Amino acid sequence: MCKIGFFVFCCRLLAVLKIKMYKIYATGWDLIVFSMVCVLLDSEQGTMWDLWALDWVHQKAECLRFCIGRSVTHVGQLPVSADIEYEFGTRNPYNFLQVTYYKLQRAASAAHTYFVANPSHLEMRNNIEKYRRMDGVTDEDFQDRESHNEKHWVLYDAALQLEANSEWKQAAEKWKACVNETLQQTEECRVQCEVSQLSPVFVFCPALSLSLLSCRQSCVTQVATRPGRISAQEDFLPTQLEHLHIAQFKAGDISGALQTLRSLLLFYPSDKDSLDNLQLYHETLGGDTESQSAQPAQVPFKPLKVHYIKITTVVSKQVTHLLSYPFLFVLSAGGPVPQVGVTITMDDEMLNGTNRVVLDGVMTEKECDRILQLASVAGSLGDGYRGRRSPHTPHETFEGLTVLRAVKVGGNDITEAGLRDALSSISVRTVLHSYFRSPSGLFITFTHLVCRTAVTDDQKGRLDLSHPVHVDNCLLEPETKQCWKEPPAFTHRDLSAILYLNDDFDGGELFFTNRDAKTVTARVKPSCGRLVGFSSGPVNPHGVTAVTRGRRCALALWFTKEKRVVDDVMIPVLDNMSSWGTMQIWWLFACFPIYCAWSVVMP
Ligand SMILES: O=C(O)CCC(=O)C(=O)O
Ligand SMILES: [Fe+3]
């Protein structure tokens, strides 16, 4: 197999040389190479050569699509670069528009349109609050100006809402509309792909056919991706059908439910639950299911299309799964706490949730003072965040101290004594590893010391939070209760730990909520030596109430099960503090690029 791959590679090399000589784009070689790639891909076991060859054909297709497509597509349908696609995809132009609009109502709608796709943008949230307070701006002005492309999302959310209120008949109507709208959007997206077929040159160019297929295939994920999100909602269409099926059943529309179930079975023909349900309908309707469901008329599928979508969603499901969960990491709270003086103050039951714990006695007053002192030294020397407004609220300032900074400002003395002993990172890890009965090792991925200080005389009528509700390893979307495991969230974080250093301030309580980000399920008041540990995933949305007086300091640590994933290059310093000096830190910097290169070569 490898030899054939190598042969293809050589063919390709010759073809490239030829192209250079004759300055033409498409040659007979393309056809030969492409056919060989097809033969290779048809075989049971592929090799890296196959993938490289396919990648080359793909890249060439992209290039041709851009160069040739330019001359044949209509005005307004010109291909654009990935940068421009990104800018429009994230709705960045609306950020500028809301500044430039003279009319307040237009500015408000531009701000809202931008915010829909960028819900964690603090400035835009503040702007929207300001617009709301302004005379002449009403609720109706906050229109999403891109919603024409996202009608199916509006229907989707409305259907969920009706379902939550047990209004099954209306929910079924909405789900049906949502399914049809989703199919229509997918079809429209595919038509856009086909615009490039206008030129006869495309008929003879296999690379372009591949590009067209790839474009058509991407429509399924595009339509299943919410504005501003990177990942698509898994199994978007089957999920809607599942909801529709339940809503129809609950609303008493058995024949409708049966038709939907049959459509669902086209996606997953061997799904046990669906087959059981089908059997049930069979028995209930006395074997008359065929006549009632011969034509799935209410959900206008053509089998061929469904088949196509099915393959795409299944593949994307597998890929997402592989990317997000290299191996399973299941915590099981309730293990022993092997450290003298450390007590369990609150467990899952008292904290009303899963994989949460509050431990006391992790540090002494003396150790807390030592770290607070360190924070002051670093602060006075000017750490990155010093005196800056908090990234979360204008009513507090924020001081942050990374371990790197601590080592630099502290010198060896603080490095050794202050960080290793006082920060107790290693004992935090040991205690949490044991309590949560972690199935694999835990590696520190990032740690920082954060102090939040209330801005004096600026606390009246505060309704905001010191840290809005969030999940540490995914982007929480409270409206749909989904959590997206994608950047900018730190998706590799598995376990979070907050070690508190003081209690001489007002407010600043840590609280946990449900996925709606509203229903508070537990509260924790910080104090010196108190450690809160919790799994970093969607079961633990949390936030911090406003700090209305004084300064609240805490050391935050995040752990990961994946040894090679880090967001702070100083981890080995914490892991082996006693044997590593400042010199080794610089040595580490030198090694890091080599380590990165190695990771690329040996994925
Ligand atoms: O300081 C706290 O209590 C929580 C901070 C937090 O949730 C975070 O930094 O992600
Ligand atoms: Fe957090």
Side-chain angles (χ1 to χ4, degrees), residues 210-229:
L210 192 66
S211 166
L212 175 68
L213 273 180
S214 145
C215 177
R216 285 174 60 90
Q217 194 167 16
S218 72
C219 285
V220 175
T221 35
Q222 244 180 62
V223 172
T225 306
R226 272 194 191 260
R229 293 274 165 261

Side-chain angles (χ1 to χ4, degrees), residues 574-596:
L574 267 178
D575 278 1
N576 303 295
M577 192 61 83
S578 52
S579 56
W580 284 69
T582 313
M583 280 310 288
Q584 280 92 334
I585 296 166
W586 295 112
W587 184 83
L588 180 75
F589 271 120
C591 281
F592 198 64
I594 300 169
Y595 169 74
C596 290

